[in-house]
Amino acid sequence: MKVILLGNAGAGKSTLSRLMLAKRPAARLSLDEVAFLGGTERRPLQDSIEDVRCWILQHSSWIIEGCYADIIEPVLVYCDELIFLNPGVDVCVANCRSRPWEPEKFRSRKEQDENLDNLIQWVRTYEKRFDEYGLHRHRALYDSFDGKKSEFTQLCQYETVWQDHSSRQL
């Protein structure tokens, strides 16, 4: 399994990857881990891409998740499947409001909650953005990918991916 999950913040990438990994163990990389120096400052793009390439070469089975089209595009050649999670902005906002504390991103639940309004504002701009985080770039990346791919526009469709991957042989 070599899967990339692409979508807006709150689309369910982390949740789906955890469900898939519960049935079929593999390495998991959130692109948040390689995209930033600290805070909101992005690392040089080539450094992030090189870190992802090195990580991929260290694992025979993996899931990569993120909203960074600029990092994903050059590593698509390594994946067996691209899954575009596109449930709509309102679903993403609702998921952001109900997400558990993410200790890998925030020192406390309070700190995470203090950032929630900014995150929701950012998520709401998804359909209008033309940068690496926006729907236009995600759509172009998905449409240009020639390998196995799926787009899910409803949360109930995610279960089919989880079931499909859990039934495959390692």
Side-chain angles (χ1 to χ4, degrees):
M1 170 170 67
K2 295 176 181 176
V3 177
I4 295 178
L5 303 176
L6 171 68
N8 194 6
K13 298 177 301 293
S14 296
T15 299
L16 180 57
S17 69
R18 280 192 293 273
L19 290 171
M20 292 169 68
L21 293 172
K23 292 292 184 178
R24 187 162 177 221
R28 175 186 164 269
L29 177 65
S30 168
L31 293 180
D32 290 341
E33 297 171 30
V34 298
F36 293 96
L37 290 169
T40 59
E41 184 181 352
R42 286 282 305 262
R43 293 177 64 206
L45 178 59
Q46 289 305 75
D47 291 351
S48 296
I49 292 167
E50 188 56 33
D51 282 356
V52 174
R53 282 189 178 129
C54 288
W55 184 89
I56 285 170
L57 295 174
Q58 295 172 4
H59 300 91
S60 59
S61 184
W62 47 260
I63 297 174
I64 295 173
E65 59 174 83
C67 61
Y68 309 90
D70 58 348
I71 298 174
I72 292 172
E73 185 173 22
V75 300
L76 273 176
V77 297
Y78 299 102
C79 83
D80 298 328
E81 182 174 6
L82 175 63
I83 301 173
F84 180 21
L85 304 181
N86 189 16
V89 169
D90 290 338
V91 170
C92 293
V93 168
N95 287 345
C96 288
R97 289 187 191 284
S98 65
R99 71 174 33 167
W101 173 44
E102 298 172 298
E104 67 279 5
K105 295 179 186 177
F106 299 97
R107 290 177 294 217
S108 68
R109 176 65 194 220
K110 182 178 186 279
E111 182 182 337
Q112 180 173 313
D113 289 346
E114 288 170 352
N115 188 57
L116 184 59
D117 287 339
N118 289 335
L119 176 62
I120 288 172
Q121 247 182 342
W122 187 79
V123 166
R124 288 193 187 282
T125 66
Y126 181 66
E127 295 172 346
K128 299 172 189 160
R129 297 178 77 127
F130 288 89
D131 61 9
E132 65 272 19
Y133 311 107
L135 175 61
H136 297 282
R137 283 284 298 276
H138 290 180
R139 167 71 52 217
L141 192 63
Y142 178 80
D143 289 346
S144 69
F145 183 65
D146 289 331
K148 181 179 180 186
K149 60 185 175 182
S150 304
E151 178 178 2
F152 296 111
T153 58
Q154 297 177 358
L155 292 178
C156 63
Q157 293 173 303
Y158 295 15
E159 188 174 318
T160 63
V161 173
W162 172 67
Q163 289 173 345
D164 181 45
H165 283 271
S166 67
S167 67
R168 292 184 192 171
Q169 296 286 327
L170 284 174

